[in-house]
């Protein structure tokens, strides 16, 4: 058996695309895959597992971020590149920004995913709306009680900044 060496963005992106295909064909979820690379080595992998786990957050990028962070023992991926088969949705983009990789390389556009029935345009539109006009009602209350925890955090000696 020959071990192939992955070196280029295209090589790693093809690996993410293969993860998408495998996840789809094995019934794990939709056709999305992701790998995370540090120093030329894959440190995290993920495919969409939404339908097989009944977890709407189990997108390929989130799964790969969780895997990479577990493998690296860190909640930051600042020296990593994230390769994903499709331009990240708003949720995944948020998770990616929290993980802080140095770059993102993606295959298909989110408009390509929309053409296959995975349309997240409504989320982009919802984000731009004032809170009171969003399709899922939002209610704010107990601000002072909730903010008190943030004030405790500011003075807590055990906090880890992120």
């Amino acid at each position: 058996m020959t071990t192939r060496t992955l070196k280029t963005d295209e090589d790693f992106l093809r690996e993410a695309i293969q993860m998408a295909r495998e996840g789809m064909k094995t019934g794990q979820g939709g056709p999305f895959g992701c790998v995370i690379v540090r120093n030329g080595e894959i440190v995290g992998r993920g495919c969409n597992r939404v339908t097989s786990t009944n977890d709407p957050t189990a997108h390929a990028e989130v799964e790969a971020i969780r895997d990479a962070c577990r493998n690296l023992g860190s909640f930051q991926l600042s020296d990593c590149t994230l390769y994903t088969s499709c331009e990240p949705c708003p949720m995944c983009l948020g998770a990616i920004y929290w993980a802080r990789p140095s770059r993102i390389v993606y295959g298909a556009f989110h408009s390509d995913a929309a053409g296959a029935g995975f349309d997240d345009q409504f989320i982009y539109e919802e984000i731009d709306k004032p809170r009171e006009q969003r399709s899922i009602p939002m209610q704010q209350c107990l601000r002072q009680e909730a903010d008190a925890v943030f004030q405790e955090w500011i003075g807590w000696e055990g906090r880890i900044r992120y």
Side-chain angles (χ1 to χ4, degrees):
M1 182 176 191
T2 305
T3 304
R4 53 188 180 126
T5 304
L6 304 177
K7 294 182 180 178
T8 68
D9 283 343
E10 290 82 5
D11 290 335
F12 290 118
L13 189 53
R14 284 187 183 101
E15 193 72 13
I17 293 167
Q18 185 57 31
M19 292 284 304
R21 184 174 284 114
E22 287 176 24
M24 176 185 70
K25 289 188 174 186
T26 59
Q28 294 182 66
F32 300 92
C34 181
V35 297
I36 298 175
V37 175
R38 183 174 77 169
N39 298 326
E41 299 290 326
I42 295 174
V43 295
R45 295 175 179 273
C47 65
N48 183 289
R49 299 179 65 229
V50 170
T51 57
S52 63
T53 62
N54 295 317
D55 179 353
T57 69
H59 289 200
E61 295 90 340
V62 172
E63 294 287 305
I65 288 168
R66 290 173 178 160
D67 188 42
C69 289
R70 208 173 17 253
N71 291 334
L72 297 174
S74 175
F75 55 85
Q76 302 261 298
L77 302 173
S78 54
D79 54 352
C80 297
T81 300
L82 185 141
Y83 296 88
T84 182
S85 63
C86 185
E87 183 179 8
C89 76
M91 178 189 70
C92 291
L93 193 58
I96 291 165
Y97 272 90
W98 280 113
R100 295 180 176 90
S102 57
R103 28 184 233 130
I104 303 165
V105 178
Y106 65 91
F109 286 110
H110 73 271
S111 56
D112 299 323
F118 299 95
D119 193 358
D120 53 14
Q121 185 60 38
F122 79 98
I123 298 172
Y124 292 104
E125 292 168 4
E126 286 288 300
I127 290 169
D128 284 340
K129 291 180 183 177
R131 289 181 200 95
E132 61 277 357
Q133 292 179 12
R134 293 180 182 159
S135 62
I136 298 176
M138 297 177 74
Q139 178 182 344
Q140 189 278 321
C141 60
L142 298 178
R143 180 178 181 192
Q144 289 179 321
E145 291 179 37
D147 185 54
V149 180
F150 289 125
Q151 300 312 309
E152 290 174 35
W153 170 257
I154 291 169
W156 186 43
E157 289 182 21
R159 75 177 170 172
I160 298 173
R161 298 183 84 94
Y162 59 96

